Amino acid sequence: MDFRQLKYFMAVAEESNMGRAAARLHISQPPLTRQIQLLEETVGATLFLRTAKGMELTDAGRMFLDGVRNIFELIEQTTERTQRAEAGQLGRIDVGVFGSSILSLIPGLLLSYRTIYPDVKIVLHTMGKKEQIDALRNHTLAVGFNRLVWDTPDITAEVLMNERLYVAVNQTHALARQKEIAFSALANNPVVLFPSGSRPNFIDYVMELCLAEGFHMQATQEVADAVTGVALVGGGFGICLVPESATALQIPNVVYRPIKKVPAPTVDLSCLYRKEDQSPILHNFLNVARVYCKSHSHAGL
């Protein structure tokens, strides 16, 4: 039994006539008759009664027809799903996230992607920079989001946007009364730094900015993430330099002020992925991410 015989059987069953079925299939009647006979021999049942009016399905033939229709429907569904997978519209994408971007930007980006591709399952993994790169290399992740990452021979770090830096300050602090805070103010105040993971990272970037201004900061604490850093600011431990995404954190006693400096200091948000990855799902995800981040970038950054 082969697919062609099932196709021939469907034509004869629907036309109830061997001649009309042969014309529909664009073949002559003798080979069609022979294929139906071979099919009946393979199935081990009489599928048609030959009558003066044409071809009439037997009880076994009607049951076989139901099954064949199911087969063709399954083939059609499978073909459609395969085509959608080829177009990146069906499947799964594993995404690595870490840091302040998950507080505002990434959820909106993921929602935008899910709205366009609702049948692609998004699986999130909270991972630091090194863990993301390792996971990309062993194919546990398809894409990751992080900051201050540089291209390597196998991993692309594509900058999607640059976020302005803000100062998180306790509302009782004198700096909270200012609409903008001069960068030099960091020289006279204890600073909470994050993240405390693998280096170089945002801590090193902040230190470089301070050195460029001609001073060394007073580092009072190094903590794991922006949430902990801003929480310490709320407790009066000092001030904290954060990306704009982190200003979504509503911590008691904490206010956020932009840095008064031209040009405004910024930090990147990059998308990490394997250079050789040709997955259509990844391709679509990156396109959505680029458009979303461009539309949410602030003028002047």
Side-chain angles (χ1 to χ4, degrees):
M1 184 189 307
D2 58 32
F3 184 79
R4 181 186 58 173
Q5 289 177 331
L6 297 181
K7 182 180 177 182
Y8 288 175
F9 168 80
M10 283 278 291
V12 175
E14 290 173 355
E15 296 292 341
S16 300
N17 182 277
M18 194 69 74
R20 288 196 300 269
R24 169 175 156 181
L25 295 167
H26 304 290
I27 61 174
S28 61
Q29 187 170 327
L32 176 59
T33 300
R34 178 57 182 159
Q35 290 300 319
I36 294 300
Q37 291 172 343
L38 290 173
L39 179 62
E40 288 179 319
E41 292 174 8
T42 301
V43 174
T46 301
L47 302 177
F48 293 99
L49 292 176
R50 281 69 172 171
T51 68
K53 295 182 179 180
M55 306 290 285
E56 181 181 332
L57 284 168
T58 64
D59 289 342
R62 281 189 286 273
M63 179 171 291
F64 190 71
L65 178 61
D66 289 340
V68 171
R69 281 174 172 163
N70 289 337
I71 290 172
F72 277 99
E73 183 177 349
L74 180 60
I75 291 173
E76 182 178 351
Q77 291 174 354
T78 302
T79 300
E80 180 186 356
R81 287 174 62 84
T82 301
Q83 290 171 344
R84 294 184 65 205
E86 175 68 17
Q89 300 171 353
L90 185 67
R92 163 177 170 156
I93 186 165
D94 288 82
V95 181
V97 294
F98 182 79
S100 56
S101 60
I102 193 64
L103 299 172
S104 61
L105 186 76
I106 299 303
L109 189 161
L110 296 177
L111 178 60
S112 179
Y113 175 76
R114 190 179 67 180
T115 300
I116 301 171
Y117 301 101
D119 294 323
V120 177
K121 182 179 180 181
I122 303 171
V123 182
L124 296 180
H125 305 265
T126 302
M127 295 178 172
K129 189 183 304 182
K130 182 179 184 303
E131 290 76 17
Q132 284 188 19
I133 292 174
D134 290 343
L136 286 167
R137 286 173 173 157
N138 64 31
H139 293 230
T140 304
L141 287 185
V143 64
F145 289 95
N146 225 299
R147 305 184 191 277
L148 304 172
V149 186
W150 293 267
D151 277 8
T152 60
D154 56 336
I155 302 294
T156 293
E158 178 180 339
V159 176
L160 295 177
M161 66 184 298
N162 288 287
E163 293 187 75
R164 188 171 182 177
L165 297 185
Y166 281 68
V167 179
V169 58
N170 193 289
Q171 64 183 1
T172 63
H173 197 289
L175 291 176
R177 295 192 292 270
Q178 301 181 20
K179 291 184 178 180
E180 293 182 313
I181 297 176
F183 201 91
S184 58
L186 273 66
N188 304 314
N189 289 277
V191 180
V192 179
L193 299 170
F194 69 90
S196 56
S198 59
R199 310 290 281 269
N201 59 23
F202 186 61
I203 291 177
D204 301 287
Y205 178 62
V206 171
M207 288 181 172
E208 288 174 4
L209 290 175
C210 292
L211 288 174
E213 292 295 312
F215 68 89
H216 291 273
M217 67 172 60
Q218 303 175 44
T220 181
Q221 289 283 341
E222 289 188 11
V223 296
D225 51 44
V227 176
T228 307
V230 175
L232 288 179
V233 171
F237 274 76
I239 62 176
C240 185
L241 204 62
V242 300
E244 186 171 0
S245 294
T247 63
L249 288 169
Q250 298 300 307
I251 302 293
N253 303 319
V254 176
V255 295
Y256 302 94
R257 298 290 183 261
I259 294 175
K260 186 178 181 180
K261 188 177 186 299
V262 179
T266 63
V267 65
D268 70 287
L269 175 66
S270 293
C271 191
L272 286 62
Y273 52 92
R274 293 183 300 278
K275 289 184 177 179
E276 82 285 356
D277 193 340
Q278 300 298 314
S279 164
I281 290 179
L282 174 64
H283 175 79
N284 291 341
F285 185 89
L286 292 174
N287 283 341
V288 171
R290 290 163 185 149
V291 171
Y292 183 88
C293 289
K294 183 177 181 180
S295 67
H296 286 74
S297 295
H298 295 288
L301 292 188

